[in-house]
Amino acid sequence: MKKKRNLLIPLCVSLSIIYVILAARPLKKELQFRPQWTIDASKVTTTKDTEGLSEKFANAIPFKLGQTLGYFTEDGDILNIVTYPYKAALSEHAYALYGTNDKKIPFYEPNGTKAGEITQTGFPFFIGESRFLFLPGGASFAKLSEDGAVEWIYENYAPITAFAASSAGCVAGYSDGTITSFTNKGVIDQTFKPSGSENPVILGTALSPSGNIIACISGQNEQRFIIAKKTGNHTEIIHHEYLEKETTRQKIVKFSSDESTVYYDSADGLGIVDCKSGKSKKLKISGHILSIQESNESNTVFVLSRDKTKYTLLVVEPFATAAGSFSFNAQTACIAVKGSNLFVGRDNEIAKMQIQYN
C-alpha cells in the first residue's frame, strides 16, 4: 500500500506539470490609450518659414469642427484654419467653401494655395484624391479632375440618396432603389436593384477598395442590409439580412481596407458582417454614427456616435468585439486615425492618444 502511495505522488505531480504546459495560453493583450497632447484647434501654431513646412502639409490630417476646418500634424502643429458660413468639402488633399447658388467654386490645397476652380453650380464632395460635384436637381453628378474640370457626368431621373467612393471608383444609390457603380473613367460596371421592400430607397452604400463588392442599406417596410459581388458581367447578392428596426435617415456604410469586413449604421446599433463567411453581429451604440475610422496597424476600428450633446467613441476589435468605449459632452466633435495614433476633436480642442496593446 505504501509503495502504491509513493508511485501515486510523482504521477500526480507529472500530470499536473503536463496539464499546466498544455493548458497555458498567453493572456490577450489589452488596448490602452496613452495621452500625448491636447491643443487649441482655433489657433495656427506654425509660420510660413517653418522648416519642413511643405512636408508637414503633405502629411497633414484634416479636421472639421462646427463651422471651422483645418489641418494639423501628428506632432500637434495647427497648419491652417478656415472658418466658413455655410458648407464645406474637405479631404486630405483639398478643401472648398461654397453656398447654395455659387456659379464658381474655388478650391484649395491644405496650405491655402488655390488648386483649381469648379465652374458649375452644385455641391462638391471630396474624398481621398477624388473630387465630385452633385448637380442641381439632385439626380446627377460629375467626376472632377485635379484642377476642377469635369471629366464625366452621369445623369439620372431619380434623386441620389446615397453615395460613396473608393480608389477603384464610386457608387450611387437612388430613391427608386437602383444602385450603380462606376470606374474612375465613368464606365458603369455594376447596376442592380436590391428590391424586397415596400419602398426601395437606398439609404446608405459603400464600394470596396477593389471595386468588386458593394454594400448597402435599402428600403423601408422590410429594410435590408445587402452585400453584392461582381462576378463577370453579373452581380450576385452574397449576403442579406432584414433589419429589426428601421430608419429614414441616410446611413454610413464602410468596408475595411482589406475588404474582409463591412460596417454599417442601423437603428439597432453598429452592424458588422464578415464578407467571406457571412457571419453577422450587432453592437449596441448610443445615438447615431458620425464616423467609422480604421487603424491599419492594429486592425482596430473606432466608431464615433452622437446622442444630442453626448458623444461616444466605441472601440471594435476583430471580429465584432467591443473592446471598450468612453463618452464626453460637446457641441461638435470629430475623430481621425493615423498609424497607431487616435485623434479626437472636441469643440475647440484636439487630443492625440497613442494606441497600444499591453
Side-chain angles (χ1 to χ4, degrees):
M1 189 73 177
K2 186 175 180 181
K3 185 176 181 180
K4 288 183 179 180
R5 288 179 181 175
N6 291 337
L7 291 174
L8 187 60
I9 292 173
L11 178 61
C12 290
V13 172
S14 299
L15 290 174
S16 297
I17 294 172
I18 293 171
Y19 173 80
V20 170
I21 293 173
L22 294 178
R25 293 289 185 274
L27 294 174
K28 184 179 179 181
K29 293 184 177 181
E30 293 185 354
L31 177 70
Q32 293 185 347
F33 297 104
R34 291 188 176 274
Q36 302 295 301
W37 47 250
T38 298
I39 56 175
D40 185 345
S42 65
K43 299 177 181 178
V44 174
T45 59
T46 57
T47 60
K48 292 184 179 180
D49 58 353
T50 299
E51 185 178 351
L53 189 58
S54 60
E55 184 178 347
K56 287 178 180 287
F57 272 111
N59 297 293
I61 302 166
F63 74 91
K64 186 187 290 186
L65 290 169
Q67 296 302 121
T68 300
L69 64 81
Y71 296 85
F72 66 94
T73 70
E74 290 186 70
D75 297 327
D77 289 330
I78 300 293
L79 301 177
N80 190 12
I81 294 174
V82 180
T83 58
Y84 56 96
Y86 184 62
K87 293 287 187 179
L90 177 69
S91 73
E92 296 91 335
H93 303 283
Y95 67 90
L97 318 178
Y98 62 94
T100 54
N101 298 310
D102 293 348
K103 293 182 179 179
K104 293 183 179 180
I105 305 172
F107 60 94
Y108 306 89
E109 296 178 4
N111 62 9
T113 301
K114 186 176 178 179
E117 189 171 71
I118 303 168
T119 58
Q120 287 187 252
T121 300
F123 304 94
F125 173 68
F126 298 165
I127 180 169
E129 297 183 0
S130 298
R131 302 180 179 104
F132 301 90
L133 182 70
F134 296 104
L135 302 176
S140 305
F141 72 96
K143 175 74 162 52
L144 305 176
S145 65
E146 288 186 359
D147 61 2
V150 173
E151 291 187 349
W152 51 267
I153 293 178
Y154 182 75
E155 298 179 336
N156 199 1
Y157 67 91
I160 299 169
T161 53
F163 188 86
S166 73
S167 56
C170 62
V171 59
Y174 295 88
S175 61
D176 67 349
T178 300
I179 293 180
T180 303
S181 68
F182 308 81
T183 67
N184 285 317
K185 298 295 184 181
V187 177
I188 296 175
D189 60 355
Q190 293 187 70
T191 185
F192 66 98
K193 287 187 176 184
S195 302
S197 304
E198 184 177 318
N199 182 346
V201 61
I202 306 301
L203 296 172
T205 190
L207 183 68
S208 69
S210 69
N212 292 324
I213 311 176
I214 294 173
C216 76
I217 295 176
S218 69
Q220 292 173 350
N221 293 332
E222 295 201 312
Q223 197 164 86
R224 294 200 297 168
F225 175 74
I226 288 173
I227 302 176
K229 186 175 183 179
K230 181 173 65 177
T231 54
N233 295 323
H234 303 283
T235 299
E236 177 188 0
I237 294 178
I238 60 175
H239 176 87
H240 80 90
E241 57 183 279
Y242 288 102
L243 306 182
E244 293 183 9
K245 296 180 181 179
E246 298 194 359
T247 181
T248 57
R249 290 188 298 103
Q250 288 183 317
K251 293 292 187 178
I252 294 176
V253 183
K254 186 169 184 175
F255 282 93
S256 61
S257 57
D258 62 2
E259 59 190 57
S260 65
T261 310
V262 62
Y263 303 85
Y264 66 93
D265 178 17
S266 76
D268 299 325
L270 175 69
I272 307 171
V273 178
D274 185 308
C275 295
K276 292 183 179 179
S277 68
K279 184 179 178 181
S280 175
K281 188 174 179 180
K282 286 191 177 66
L283 299 178
K284 290 184 179 180
I285 199 161
S286 176
H288 64 275
I289 294 174
L290 301 176
S291 180
I292 301 173
Q293 300 289 330
E294 178 186 18
S295 171
N296 294 329
E297 290 190 4
S298 62
N299 293 321
T300 304
V301 170
F302 302 89
V303 183
L304 180 67
S305 64
R306 179 181 184 179
D307 185 2
K308 297 180 181 178
T309 59
K310 180 183 177 182
Y311 290 83
T312 300
L313 184 73
L314 174 68
V315 184
V316 183
E317 296 178 335
F319 168 75
T321 300
S325 66
F326 63 85
S327 299
F328 56 91
N329 290 315
Q331 295 301 313
T332 183
C334 67
I335 61 170
V337 177
K338 192 165 187 176
S340 60
N341 297 311
L342 169 68
F343 303 90
V344 179
R346 172 188 175 187
D347 292 335
N348 293 324
E349 294 182 340
I350 298 175
K352 174 184 177 180
M353 289 174 277
Q354 192 174 48
I355 306 164
Q356 291 186 345
Y357 284 87
N358 295 318

